[in-house]
Amino acid sequence: MTSVRFTASVLCLLLAITSYARFARAQQRSASPMQELVAKGEYLAHVGDCVACHTVPGGKLFAGGRAIITPFGTLYSTNITPDLKNGIGNWTPDQFYRVMHDGVMPTGELLYPAMPFQYYTKVTRDDLDAIFAYLMSVPAVALRDKPDELRFPYSIRALVIGWRTLYFTPGVYRPNPTQSAPWNRGAYLVEGPGHCGMCHTPINALGGSSQAEAFQGGLIPEQGWYAPSLTSNREGGLGGWSIKDISDLLRTGTSMRGAVYGPMAEVVYNSLQYLSEPDIEAMAVYLKSLPSRPGAGQAAPPVPAAESSLLTSLGKDVYETYCATCHRSDGKGMPPAYPPLANNQSIEMTSAVNPIRMVLNGGFPPGTAGNLMPYGMPPFAQTLSDDQVAAVVTYIRSAWGNHGTPVTARDANTLRAAPLN
Amino acid sequence: MIARLAGAVLGAGVSLCVHGVFAQQQSAGAPDTMQERMQACAPCHGKDGAGTSSDYFPRIAGQPAGYLYEQLVGFHNDQRHYAPMNYLLEFLPESYLRQIANYFASLHPPAPEPLPPTASLQVLGRGKAIAMDGDPAHDIPACTSCHGPGLTGLHPDIPGLLGLRANYISAQLTAVRYRARNPTTSTCMQKILMRMTGQDITAVAAWLGSQRLPADARPLLAGALKLPMACESAGQ
């Protein structure tokens, strides 16, 4: 009896395997070149994170209308569905290429650089054709674009000519023949469709960024979050991370070294979790190879020694009461559920904006295919006073060999007003 | 016999594999439970969602799962607006939101004591009358007619009204009245609230907030009540 059952289950298993193989072959056979192009385009649209700006939360895919708040006023993302009247259904592949590669609309209007065409210009024609084919395949939505609300003089579109002269160099990514294929793939994804520099390269008062400062990190305008440097070990620099930890962080949102939060949680949720393992690993290879530079930014103004030691002793009390259950008294945390705070660049870096905001707002890492049920951190904005927040952040920035500078109650208070979405 | 042994070995192997992979995915230290994952909720909603002495943060334990899920999805999609909740839930997938709703719906911890009412006896009397009998002259049904004779709610998505604070209830009723709360919620409540005055809302909130949660506060099963009006609910 038992042997019959065993044979039956082996047969079942074999049957399942062969029918899956047949199914997979059939899939391969039945996919037309157009379907393949659309699938490739969908993948690349994930890499480019088009959805983050061109879809309102809970709204119709790619129908636009999301407010993009900039220091120059508010822009509204556009409808990029194939709707003939309101979307891009009338565009040709050539016109789409010109928009992405040159930042010029079919009408001849210049795009504002809130649309990251300075990065998309590096994307190959083949890849842009695939993205266009995919966009043409999604349901058309009859939603009219909202007019932008930019302040004068930024409302004059022709001013973009000046910005382009200073900061825009069109050109597809050129592989570096001295580097490996994964490195080049990673560089292409990071510098091109991934447009990582949009946040991780500092921008100036004119909304421009210079290649010399690439990936040195900076405050993200209007969001109240600091995008760490990807080059400095003092900040988010990844030189000391293993390829596996970088890949885990990018793909699942968490790792043994730390978790993503704030705007990076959005990037992982909408974009990076959909990337293939080889592509994520290629990005990790490239990011890890970025040259290490000395700590960026100015040092924080010094806090008087007496005040600083008072902060640290109060901070230890607050830490033991509210934080140590998860992040442990030794700051080692319980990764990947609860990130370590000791030797964590996110805590130590020059700007204390991120650790202060984590204490105030808490949060969950994004729920991804690789981490479907993330562990969360409570917001402490309503539990802790400004003094307590300053104290505990000062403590975690200096305990366990961390090298961060003290923060003040005023820093904590300012960030209570930071926007949450 | 050999087959059974092989099966057992194979089974053990599979469970070891699953276990090994799982242990690697999860942390060594953090317990692999929903209770642990939901620590983020405790400072505002109380341990196990029981509620706290705070006026504004509701008890969420024991509410019907459908109701909780609607609220979580509303916050996630930015349809119901409360920035700290929108922020916490923005990047959680709907499968996880469903698990969170089911988890809190399954908990029945004792509720904190009601706060002594600040409203006058007259106001409390008016509130009780609306809750238990409604106001037929103004076409206002009794709360009990939908939320259950014990006011502990009805599966899948009509919430219980006890164990909450008066200020929280009146703030939510007012928000629903002016369509400032989750617009995907049933439209019935909004229609009823349009027939109520500000004083009615204050009174019914004061009375509900003064009531103790019964020991068995489980919501009624779906279909247990014949509802007085037909509801359009996007959450069905």
Side-chain angles (χ1 to χ4, degrees), chain A residues 2-3 6 57-59 66 225 252 256 261-263 265-267 269-270 325-326 328 334-338 357-358 361-368 370-380 382-383 420-421, chain B residues 1-4 6-7 10 23-34 36-44 57 75-79 82-96 99-100:
Chain A
T2 48
S3 72
F6 181 65
R66 181 151 202 181
W225 285 102
T252 71
M256 295 304 283
Y261 51 83
E266 183 279 313
V267 176
Y269 182 75
N270 282 320
T325 324
C326 297
R328 315 298 292 269
M334 296 188 232
Y338 303 125
R357 290 206 58 182
M358 277 309 297
N361 308 134
F364 282 89
T368 59
N371 186 27
L372 275 170
M373 299 164 67
Y375 291 73
M377 165 160 166
F380 287 101
Q382 57 272 49
T383 315
L420 278 171
N421 45 9
Chain B
M1 182 60 211
I2 292 173
R4 191 180 286 172
L10 197 70
Q24 233 175 21
Q25 291 285 316
Q26 304 306 321
S27 73
D32 180 21
T33 61
M34 279 302 282
E36 182 67 21
R37 287 180 167 82
M38 295 298 111
Q39 290 293 338
C41 316
C44 295
F57 301 122
F75 285 126
H76 167 77
N77 284 338
D78 211 15
Q79 302 286 310
Y82 180 63
M85 284 299 292
N86 300 134
Y87 176 76
L88 284 169
L89 302 180
E90 191 173 2
F91 305 121
L92 297 184
E94 290 183 5
S95 60
Y96 194 27
Q99 284 172 292
I100 295 173

Side-chain angles (χ1 to χ4, degrees), chain B residues 17 21 37 41-42 44 49 58 82-84 95 117 121-122 128 130 132 144-145 157 169 181 194 215 231:
Chain B
C17 287
V21 170
R37 287 180 167 82
C41 316
C44 295
Y82 180 63
S95 60
L121 284 177
Q122 194 194 350
K128 180 178 181 180
I130 294 171
M132 305 306 285
T144 50
S145 59
D157 53 14
I169 298 170
R181 205 174 118 148
M194 288 305 285
C231 263

Side-chain angles (χ1 to χ4, degrees), chain A residues 199-249:
Chain A
C199 291
H200 290 284
T201 296
I203 71 164
N204 57 31
L206 292 176
S209 53
S210 86
Q211 208 45 50
E213 296 176 316
F215 303 122
Q216 284 186 24
L219 201 63
I220 306 173
E222 310 298 322
Q223 289 195 24
W225 285 102
Y226 189 85
S229 159
L230 301 181
T231 58
S232 156
N233 277 333
R234 178 133 174 235
E235 304 214 334
L238 297 167
W241 285 50
S242 71
I243 295 290
K244 181 180 185 320
D245 286 337
I246 303 173
S247 303
D248 285 351
L249 185 80

Side-chain angles (χ1 to χ4, degrees), chain B residues 144-201:
Chain B
T144 50
S145 59
C146 293
H147 295 271
L151 294 167
T152 56
L154 173 71
H155 283 297
D157 53 14
I158 298 182
L161 303 179
L162 302 182
L164 302 166
R165 306 293 179 197
N167 277 341
Y168 171 78
I169 298 170
S170 75
Q172 298 313 310
L173 292 179
T174 308
V176 171
R177 185 179 204 242
Y178 294 107
R179 296 197 167 94
R181 205 174 118 148
N182 192 356
T184 63
T185 317
S186 109
T187 51
C188 291
M189 201 60 226
Q190 199 270 335
K191 284 183 195 141
I192 296 164
L193 284 159
M194 288 305 285
R195 301 169 196 157
M196 293 172 71
T197 64
Q199 284 91 336
D200 289 342
I201 290 176

Side-chain angles (χ1 to χ4, degrees), chain A residues 122 173 176 179-192 196 211 214-215 230-231 238 243 246 279-291:
Chain A
K122 298 191 178 179
Y173 174 77
N176 179 342
Q179 295 285 356
S180 68
W183 187 96
N184 274 300
R185 175 68 178 167
Y188 173 68
L189 294 170
V190 166
E191 293 182 14
C196 306
Q211 208 45 50
F215 303 122
L230 301 181
T231 58
L238 297 167
I243 295 290
I246 303 173
D279 274 354
I280 285 288
E281 204 172 295
M283 289 174 79
V285 166
Y286 172 68
L287 290 171
K288 192 175 158 68
S289 80
L290 289 174

